[in-house]
Amino acid sequence: MAIWDNPEWMRHRRTILRPATTIAIVAVSWLLCGLAAYVDGVKAMTMIVILAHTIVLPLWVGSACSRSIMRERAFQTFDFWRTTRLTPRELIAGQLCGVPLRGILVVVSTLPLALLSLRFGVSPVALILEYIMVLLFSVTVGLGGLAISMCATPLRGLQGIRWLFGISLAFFTILFTTITGMEFGVWVMTPYSFLQMPEHGAGTVLSQSISLFGVMPVPRFLLGVALNLSFSGWFYLMLSRNIKKEPNEVRLLSRWQAIGFAVFIVLLSHAFGRPTHFAPGMLERNLYLLNNLWLYLIGIMMLTPAERLRVWWHHWSSGKTSYLHEDGFPWPWVVVTAICLSGVTYLSAHVGGWSSPTLLWNLGLVSVFVIRDVTFLQWCLCQNFRRPLSTGILYLGLYYVAALVLTATLPAIHSVLVPPMADDVEVAQPIVTLVVQGLIAGALLHLLMTQLKEPAHSVSPSGGGRSQLSIQPESPSS
């Protein structure tokens, strides 16, 4: 389906671009350009227009898309358009191209003024490449905004904030190991790093390269294109899986896909972190902290709602499903994630010519702490807490604060109760720590399994608050 035949796009066009609104947007845009030409001249005006397109369009698209699906729910039109015959791909295309139509109209209406820069020595190739990067980056931030808006609802803003934190962490972690300047890291996927291309020509920019892992030179422009396409693909996958689902059914990625996304982000972070630009030991500490953050994030993402976990337990006990099911315990997936991240770390060390056995060992040690904490959070989800996840995170926070305060002067006990910090990756008693935390994780898993063996209870509003047995489902929920 062509975009101009897309009913979702047509709905936004008719709503946003009414004749009076369209005329006003075009007139104001040209008036501002005329004032710029009057003050600074036509040549300066053309460069101002290109700069405005580069800055305004991605910001407008990201801002509009980050509110679009949430507004559909707020205005109670979400159920209407999600039950139409449009496929998820058509809905995504209609939202991405329809919601930010005002910003798109501003750029399209003033694009002829930007083309006037060709008369003042700007290379056509450079101008085309600049606008290609603007378009790709706008699509990336638009799809990311739609993914955030899909998870954030007026009644469930906290979950949206959680996923906003997760997506922001994906970008932050790439920059985390990059302290050499803005030309590295995710900055190359933005059009702002190529603003000098129309003025200096495409050859100067295309000849520049970034050394991945410190040994693999890659052209900056091609790397920026590849990063935009990669992130757009991940965001599109999240949207296509969930855009037609109810808010409580949204799971951005399957467990294998979540592991793949974590590996992708960590691999980029290793690629951009070059040992020659770090003080001795700094790269190791940064990558250690990065792996820890992603282990915890993946563990929290893989928590299973209590109802789904009970259904899985019922079928797994009957031998009808696998232990590595999408609705099963999250701890095996933490182990898989730790193994994958260890493989990425080993590959990065081998390619980059550096070695850190301590980093690999501590990654396995921290995974035991993550398994313990994630199993505790999963146990909290199966309790009758009002906000089980928030309650579990609060208890874990209190535990770590108490352990840090009480064992500050006892390093032997401290290393057993708290995972090694980023500034001290050497562990005093690794075997003892591994055994103790493994036993605690096993005890929590036993409590969780005991809870799942008991019949589920629910409180009936009409029963005066009395607990009643719930019926065990016969088939997995969809």
Side-chain angles (χ1 to χ4, degrees), residues 187-471:
W187 191 251
V188 298
M189 68 183 289
T190 68
Y192 316 123
S193 60
F194 302 100
L195 287 175
Q196 74 278 17
M197 186 161 53
E199 184 176 356
H200 296 90
T204 303
V205 176
L206 292 178
S207 62
Q208 298 175 355
S209 63
I210 293 179
S211 183
L212 300 182
F213 301 103
V215 295
M216 298 171 56
V218 178
R220 291 178 63 237
F221 186 83
L222 294 181
L223 182 60
V225 172
L227 286 176
N228 276 294
L229 294 177
S230 300
F231 278 103
S232 296
W234 282 110
F235 293 144
Y236 177 81
L237 178 61
M238 299 175 188
L239 289 166
S240 62
R241 281 173 46 87
N242 300 280
I243 197 169
K244 281 198 167 190
K245 292 182 179 179
E246 290 285 355
N248 58 351
E249 298 176 348
V250 170
R251 300 183 73 173
L252 289 185
L253 297 169
S254 69
R255 287 181 166 178
W256 281 114
Q257 291 168 351
I259 293 174
F261 185 62
V263 170
F264 167 71
I265 296 297
V266 173
L267 183 62
L268 287 183
S269 303
H270 281 257
F272 290 128
R274 298 187 294 177
T276 56
H277 289 82
F278 290 89
M282 182 179 293
L283 176 64
E284 179 181 344
R285 292 192 293 269
N286 288 350
L287 295 178
Y288 170 75
L289 180 58
L290 171 67
N291 290 333
N292 292 354
L293 290 174
W294 272 101
L295 273 178
Y296 272 101
L297 180 62
I298 292 298
I300 293 175
M301 288 177 61
M302 292 181 178
L303 293 173
T304 306
E307 297 81 5
R308 286 179 174 267
L309 188 64
R310 287 186 179 276
V311 172
W312 167 82
W313 175 263
H314 174 73
H315 286 272
W316 179 76
S317 301
S318 304
K320 298 179 181 179
T321 188
S322 168
Y323 196 81
L324 290 177
H325 192 267
E326 286 288 323
D327 295 330
F329 292 135
W331 75 264
W333 299 93
V334 175
V335 176
V336 175
T337 305
I339 294 174
C340 292
L341 296 187
S342 299
V344 172
T345 303
Y346 178 80
L347 176 65
S348 173
H350 179 72
V351 175
W354 58 278
S355 152
S356 180
T358 305
L359 180 61
L360 294 174
W361 167 254
N362 285 339
L363 182 59
L365 187 63
V366 169
S367 65
V368 180
F369 284 90
V370 178
I371 290 173
R372 182 203 65 182
D373 295 342
V374 169
T375 304
F376 173 74
L377 293 177
Q378 185 65 74
W379 178 81
C380 291
L381 288 179
C382 295
Q383 305 304 307
N384 292 325
F385 300 145
R386 185 174 181 180
R387 295 181 177 88
L389 185 59
S390 301
T391 303
I393 293 176
L394 176 62
Y395 285 151
L396 286 177
L398 291 175
Y399 161 78
Y400 279 114
V401 170
L404 288 172
V405 172
L406 297 177
T407 64
T409 58
L410 302 171
I413 301 178
H414 178 86
S415 64
V416 175
L417 299 180
V418 180
M421 299 293 109
D423 56 349
D424 183 17
V425 295
E426 295 291 341
V427 183
Q429 305 178 76
I431 302 299
V432 176
T433 303
L434 190 65
V435 172
V436 171
Q437 296 303 325
L439 290 175
I440 296 175
L444 290 172
L445 184 62
H446 177 72
L447 287 176
L448 180 58
M449 295 171 65
T450 303
Q451 170 112 21
L452 294 176
K453 291 177 182 178
E454 298 176 357
H457 290 75
S458 63
V459 177
S460 174
S462 61
R466 292 176 296 177
S467 178
Q468 299 179 351
L469 289 176
S470 65
I471 299 176

